[in-house]
Amino acid sequence: MSTSAKEYSVLIYSHQPEVIEKIQNAIGPRPSETATIEYLSATDYDDVLAAVDKYSLDLVIFDGEAQPMGGLGAVRQLRDEAETIPKSLVIVARSADQWLGAWSGADAVITHPLDPIQTGKRVVELLEQ
């Protein structure tokens, strides 16, 4: 029996292209039998807003260490500014910063270093909710 995978659109926000690449590599193009991912990226908050307005995104992944606007502040501001927003995941540097994810309104928070199995699993859970 063949299972067809649903394609999801995921935006990754970070000012560092190498961080965007690490996040994509941790998740992969097909993190489960039921999900494939098309990635977009944004290097500043204005790009995030434009992408949310232009595309039907399923998830936005925010780098908590992004500059000049960090991912936590970007999630919170996006929740205040956009009429409809996709699910959100913030990646923070330290476990102690997870409470900031709740403050930001993110749907989920994970910490560096990214474990590919756990990261992919969490992304799929968010996408399939």
Side-chain angles (χ1 to χ4, degrees), residues 30-102:
R30 188 168 179 157
S32 78
E33 290 182 16
T34 59
T36 61
I37 296 178
E38 175 187 350
Y39 290 103
L40 297 121
S41 62
T43 57
D44 65 39
Y45 181 69
D46 290 337
D47 291 344
V48 172
L49 283 177
V52 168
D53 287 342
K54 185 175 181 179
Y55 302 105
S56 177
L57 299 170
D58 298 297
L59 175 67
V60 181
I61 299 174
F62 294 87
D63 172 13
E65 305 300 312
Q67 294 177 11
M69 176 181 253
L72 294 158
V75 173
R76 188 166 177 97
Q77 189 165 337
L78 184 63
R79 289 210 176 275
D80 290 343
E81 292 181 355
E83 287 189 31
T84 59
I85 66 164
K87 296 210 183 300
S88 57
L89 169 69
V90 177
I91 302 171
V92 295
R94 304 172 311 147
S95 292
D97 292 335
Q98 288 193 8
W99 71 271
L100 290 167

